[in-house]
Structure formats: C-alpha cells, structure tokens
Amino acid sequence: MKKVGILGGTFNPVHNGHLFVAEKVTEYYHLDKLILIPNGNPPHKQTVSVSAEDRLAMLELAAANREDFFVDTYEVNGQEYSYTYNTLGYLKKKYPDDKLYFIAGADNIDEIAGWRRPKDIFLLADVIFFARPHYPINWTEIEKLKKDFHASIEVFSVDEVDISATDIRKRIEIGKPITGLVPPQVEQYIKEHRLYQPEYMLYMKQLKEFLCPERFRHTIGVAKMAEKLAVHYQIDKEKAYLAGLLHDCAKNLPEDELRNLTKRSSFPIYDGELDNPQLLHSIAGSVIAKEVFEIEDKEILSAIRYHTIGRVDMTLLEKIIYLADLIEENRTFALVERMRTLAFINLDQALLLSIENNINYLKKNGLNVLKESYHIKESLLNKGVHL
Ligand code: FE
Ligand code: FE
C-alpha cells in the first residue's frame, strides 16, 4: 500500500509557497506520490483571470522538477465543479490499494464540516491540515471532527513562506519581477504567454475565440519567435510580439467571410492573390486586427497583411513576422533548421531562401506563382542578397 498525497488548489499561478508545502508534507509523511489537482473554474472564484489550460501547463512545468509529483486533470477537465468528496472518490478508484492523504490549509478546519458530504471525505482519506507556526489551530473543532466523522486528522506545521498568488499577479500587473517566487520554468511560461498582464488579457481572450487550440499554439510560437528576432535586431519587442500574436487571427474563419473582409482592406491586393484561399487570411487578418482588436499601429497591420507572401522592400517588422511564422518552434519542414539559423544571421538571406523555396514548391506542384514573388526575389538579388 502506497501513500498518496493530494493537494488541490487554483494554482493561479502555482508558486514556491505551494511547492514548499508539497515538499515538506511529502517528506514528513513519507508519501510515495503527491498528486496536484488544479481546480476547474470554481463558482466562488469567478475572477480566475487565466485559462485552466494555462494554470495546468504551469503546474505541469512545476511538477516536472520532481519524480514523485504528478498533476491530475480530473477537476480541470470536468464539465461541472467538482466537490472534494467527488475528487477523492475518483482518486480512490484510480488508486484502490493506496492510502490517500488529503492536504489542506488549516483555515479549512472550521469549514470542512460544512462542505458537501464531509463524511465521505473522511472515509476516503486521512486529512493533513498544514499551518504556519503559531497559527491558532481550532483543536476543539478537530476533536469534534474526529468524533463526528471518525476522521483521521493530522496537523502539520510548516515554516512561513510569504508568497501568495494574489501578490504574484499584482506584481506582474505593475511590472515587478517575480523571480524566486515561482520556479524558473513557470516564470518563463508566464512571460512568454504574457499572463496576468492587463494589456494582453483581452487580446488573449478574444484570440482564443477566433482560433482553434492548435492555431493558438502556433500563434504563441510566432509571437515568441518574433519577440526574439526583435530583440536580436533591436526593434520594439512588444510590437513584434503583438504582431506575431495577431498575424493569423483570421485563419480559422470561413472562406466567404474572409472574402468579405478582404473588401474592407485598405492594402493593395496582388494579381491572382484572391484566387488562392490560403492567402486570404493575411488580408482579412489585418482588417480583423484593426476592427476587432482595435490595432491602430500601421506597422503591425502591414506586418499581418504581408505575412503570407511578403512584398518588395519589406520593413524590418514585416520580415520578422514573415519569418517567425515559418521558423517558430512548432514548425518541422525540411529547411526549417537552416532558416532558423539564417534568420538570426541575415534576415534577407532567410527571406530569399523562403521565397525561392516557395516558388520551387509551387512550380513543382503545378501551382500558380504570384508575380509578386518573382518581384521580391529579383529585388533581393538586386540588393546583392545571395545564398
Ligand atoms: Fe498565416
Ligand atoms: Fe501563421
């Protein structure tokens, strides 16, 4: 029989305080496993500002540091709010031969008897309440719980770790560092996904309504790569991130809608461009970015507009978005590694490589090559760009 600890929470975000408690309890009670369970979006916490997927992803990064820590998605994937007795019942089925330890903060001592089906909770698991040293423990209530529910209860004292998720969110909101408050991988994830940043919250929310999960992942990849290239070539990294984030915002719209949107575009449209449905989303995307995402910045709008085929004399931001789209971390085509390396050495060479590659591909497959593609190639060659 193994000992399995269970620690639930919103984990918005998971931080070193959570992990400290998890480690101490695991050590002290010789637990074989610790299961971290992120809540779904509970009814009494409607203010959860970050998606369950993001909370889950961060928790998984944090748990990956320890072999005995696992993340369970039961509550996150559930359609409805899961009460503790539900979750424990599920875990008992999953680990029928093991002994379960439900770990909760000592602030729950006074409340647990009022939770849904407390008798089941105490039947399914031993409960470990953790508290800071000198926290006033209600021992009378504990005795009562033991008597009323035949509960097996432990009280565990952990040193104070003065970290709260609320504080972390506030720090990010006002641009303060969170180094040391969360594991480094979580810190990086928060940065890369711009979590808890008020200026990005609405963009992310709207974007998730426009894009399927796979496209959203690609989009984050492009935004991250665009930011890296922007830092490398010393242009505004937030602008590049935002352009990357929005470059495919129209990608999942139906073709008739895309066609309608292209009519409202103020950018020129190339000969033959509207014949290829694959190209419509860049024109339509700049319209959506302007009308829905309220982007006024012309450079961002034009980077979105030209991300599929490029144009002669592209701006630095346009080149960056065009290439970031191709070389972001999820991309796997044959030339990708070469293009990735080249993009950080010489943007124009990377661009030429891509344009030539495109032309060759289209020709080989008997598809139409836009005149503009030849113009871009010529113009690069005329500037002395060579591979
Ligand atoms: Fe695209
Ligand atoms: Fe894309």
Side-chain angles (χ1 to χ4, degrees):
M1 191 169 67
K2 293 205 159 140
K3 293 171 150 189
V4 178
I6 298 147
L7 182 63
T10 316
F11 300 114
N12 187 31
V14 60
H15 56 68
N16 288 343
H18 297 129
L19 297 165
F20 184 74
V21 168
E23 278 163 21
K24 290 291 167 193
V25 173
T26 302
E27 206 176 289
Y28 187 83
Y29 291 98
H30 303 288
L31 303 180
D32 297 287
K33 255 182 206 178
L34 187 95
I35 317 281
L36 297 152
I37 301 204
N39 302 147
N41 284 348
H44 60 283
K45 274 192 178 168
Q46 283 305 340
T47 50
V48 175
S49 54
V50 152
S51 70
E53 300 91 80
D54 282 326
R55 290 188 290 115
L56 179 64
M58 290 188 280
L59 198 55
E60 265 161 2
L61 287 170
N65 290 332
R66 291 216 18 164
E67 273 185 8
D68 48 352
F69 283 14
F70 299 87
V71 178
D72 195 289
T73 58
Y74 177 75
E75 292 193 5
V76 166
N77 292 339
Q79 290 303 309
E80 282 164 42
Y81 174 71
S82 181
Y83 292 97
T84 299
Y85 83 90
N86 270 335
T87 305
L88 291 175
Y90 151 80
L91 287 166
K92 191 68 208 173
K93 269 187 203 143
K94 189 169 172 184
Y95 305 102
D97 304 323
D98 297 340
K99 188 164 174 58
L100 303 185
Y101 293 82
F102 177 65
I103 304 158
D107 49 326
N108 293 298
I109 292 172
D110 290 329
E111 283 159 25
I112 197 163
W115 292 4
R116 195 69 73 90
R117 293 165 68 166
K119 205 176 166 192
D120 289 357
I121 295 175
F122 290 113
L123 191 68
L124 289 159
D126 285 13
V127 177
I128 301 171
F129 289 114
F130 62 88
R132 298 163 172 178
H134 314 301
Y135 182 92
I137 302 288
N138 187 345
W139 293 105
T140 323
E141 181 61 22
I142 288 179
E143 285 315 309
K144 194 168 182 301
L145 292 171
K146 283 184 176 169
K147 205 167 136 251
D148 291 354
F149 302 108
H150 303 289
S152 169
I153 297 175
E154 305 266 358
V155 176
F156 181 74
S157 159
V158 268
D159 291 339
E160 182 158 3
V161 184
D162 199 11
I163 302 176
S164 87
T166 312
D167 179 49
I168 290 172
R169 295 197 300 270
K170 278 198 188 127
R171 291 182 74 93
I172 297 168
E173 222 177 288
I174 57 173
K176 276 192 178 172
I178 54 162
T179 310
L181 302 177
V182 298
Q185 301 91 325
V186 173
E187 185 183 356
Q188 201 189 344
Y189 185 94
I190 289 174
K191 270 192 196 145
E192 288 179 348
H193 291 76
R194 300 293 194 271
L195 300 186
Y196 311 110
Q197 296 194 19
E199 58 272 40
Y200 280 98
M201 246 172 254
L202 192 60
Y203 291 141
M204 294 295 183
K205 192 172 170 279
Q206 287 178 316
L207 204 54
K208 279 182 183 167
E209 285 162 17
F210 272 98
L211 301 178
C212 65
E214 194 192 337
R215 183 58 47 180
F216 185 78
R217 211 171 308 127
H218 161 67
T219 273
I220 294 284
V222 175
K224 275 158 61 177
M225 183 55 81
E227 181 184 14
K228 263 190 212 160
L229 287 166
V231 170
H232 187 76
Y233 290 106
Q234 297 178 334
I235 62 164
D236 186 340
K237 70 184 174 78
E238 288 312 307
K239 204 162 167 169
Y241 186 92
L242 188 54
L245 198 65
L246 299 180
H247 84 286
D248 267 351
C249 64
K251 184 77 180 182
N252 290 144
L253 295 175
E255 193 180 324
D256 52 339
E257 208 168 317
L258 290 175
R259 290 200 183 279
N260 277 331
L261 286 163
T262 57
K263 289 177 195 152
R264 297 217 289 278
S265 170
S266 51
F267 286 103
I269 291 170
Y270 300 128
D271 278 350
E273 199 179 5
L274 298 180
D275 301 337
N276 184 346
Q278 297 293 327
L279 302 179
L280 299 174
H281 76 278
S282 60
I283 311 165
S286 64
V287 177
I288 296 273
K290 190 172 178 197
E291 294 181 1
V292 179
F293 291 87
E294 297 178 4
I295 302 295
E296 297 291 338
D297 189 309
K298 296 232 164 55
E299 289 180 293
I300 294 181
L301 294 175
S302 118
I304 297 171
R305 187 301 167 225
Y306 292 108
H307 85 266
T308 41
I309 48 166
R311 65 164 170 159
V312 173
D313 293 334
M314 289 166 88
T315 64
L316 193 46
L317 184 66
E318 285 167 11
K319 288 176 194 171
I320 284 175
I321 298 305
Y322 177 98
L323 284 165
D325 188 21
L326 298 171
I327 63 173
E328 60 100 359
E329 64 191 8
N330 302 295
R331 296 283 199 189
T332 53
F333 61 100
L335 276 176
V336 75
E337 276 310 326
R338 188 171 163 213
M339 221 178 268
R340 251 177 218 144
T341 313
L342 206 49
F344 285 89
I345 299 168
N346 186 319
L347 269 183
D348 285 332
Q349 285 181 349
L351 193 61
L352 182 60
L353 179 64
S354 158
I355 301 280
E356 279 192 345
N357 186 43
N358 256 340
I359 293 175
N360 292 340
Y361 171 85
L362 292 168
K363 272 191 185 164
K364 210 172 91 188
N365 290 280
L367 297 163
N368 204 24
V369 181
L370 290 187
K371 270 197 207 117
E372 190 63 17
S373 297
Y374 290 115
H375 292 159
I376 300 168
K377 182 180 165 180
E378 259 165 54
S379 130
L380 287 168
L381 293 174
N382 288 340
K383 279 182 195 155
V385 180
H386 288 286
L387 291 174

